[in-house]
Amino acid sequence: MELFEASLIARHAEDEARMRTLLSEALKLECAAADSVADDQALEPTRSLLHRSAASMALQIFDTKTARRYVDAGLVGNPPAEIKRELEKLSERITVLEAEMTSYALKAPAGLTLIQRVIRQFNSDPPTDIVGLANALGLAVFFSDLGTDAGEIIRDIRRGGFSGYSIRVNANDPHVRQRYTIGHEIAHFLRHRNRVQNRLRDDRMYRSGLGTTVENDADALAADLLMPRRVIGRLRNEGITDVRELAEKFDVSVVAMERRLGLRRT
């Protein structure tokens, strides 16, 4: 446990390189311990606890292959209900991380991707649970005084979600603007993570230095997350056509809804 405790100190100090080195060494020991009891299902809860620990450590250094191996092995047999739920939660996170690392540049997926299915869990009925969506994608969300800026996405090994990133939103902004900012930063994470590096901050005009094309792309995805056209169409078919009523339903500004409906250009 000394290696693991030392990795926690490194995490708190935001020394990612040292944290990963220490966790990698701790993981070797935890894997060996889990392997030593893998074939004896009578050794519960020790067996599933060791497998959960190994999977968790592997996930923290983004070794999804090792994490998957120990989650699946831990679920074999009859682990206690609480540990089983924790293993299943780890399995969900591994699946999301694997999907976030997948590129479709060479071959388009057949049907919805896993990330698109996750998104639909949160935006199929208005308003979109945008913080819940961020959390499901491995992003922690914090609100703080960002001065004249709207928000930022940062590499955050100390407080971040299981992806290793956090979104910070200006606590002084109106609620609907905060929701849009979270959607915008989620878009940067999903579409432009290779350009985020350690920090990407957006000013009040959602300009980050990445260029107009990138920011327009993030704006478009944020609108898709908060105001999916398929859901707007469904509500309009049900008779809800007033712009203000739609804006209230989706918990967005009237201006944002007008833009979404093509009633406003800028």
Side-chain angles (χ1 to χ4, degrees), residues 83 162 180:
I83 300 174
F162 62 84
Y180 192 85

Side-chain angles (χ1 to χ4, degrees), residues 130-191:
I130 199 67
V131 173
L133 173 58
N135 294 161
L137 294 172
L139 298 161
V141 178
F142 301 102
F143 296 83
S144 57
D145 186 351
L146 298 182
T148 60
D149 292 323
E152 65 180 359
I153 182 166
I154 60 174
R155 184 72 174 157
D156 187 357
I157 64 167
R158 185 162 66 91
R159 299 195 304 163
F162 62 84
S163 72
Y165 286 86
S166 288
I167 291 172
R168 292 178 66 208
V169 184
N170 197 321
N172 300 314
D173 280 348
H175 171 69
V176 291
R177 186 178 182 87
Q178 290 173 342
R179 284 172 50 76
Y180 192 85
T181 296
I182 296 169
H184 186 91
E185 302 306 334
I186 289 174
H188 277 315
F189 174 74
L190 293 176
R191 295 272 178 86

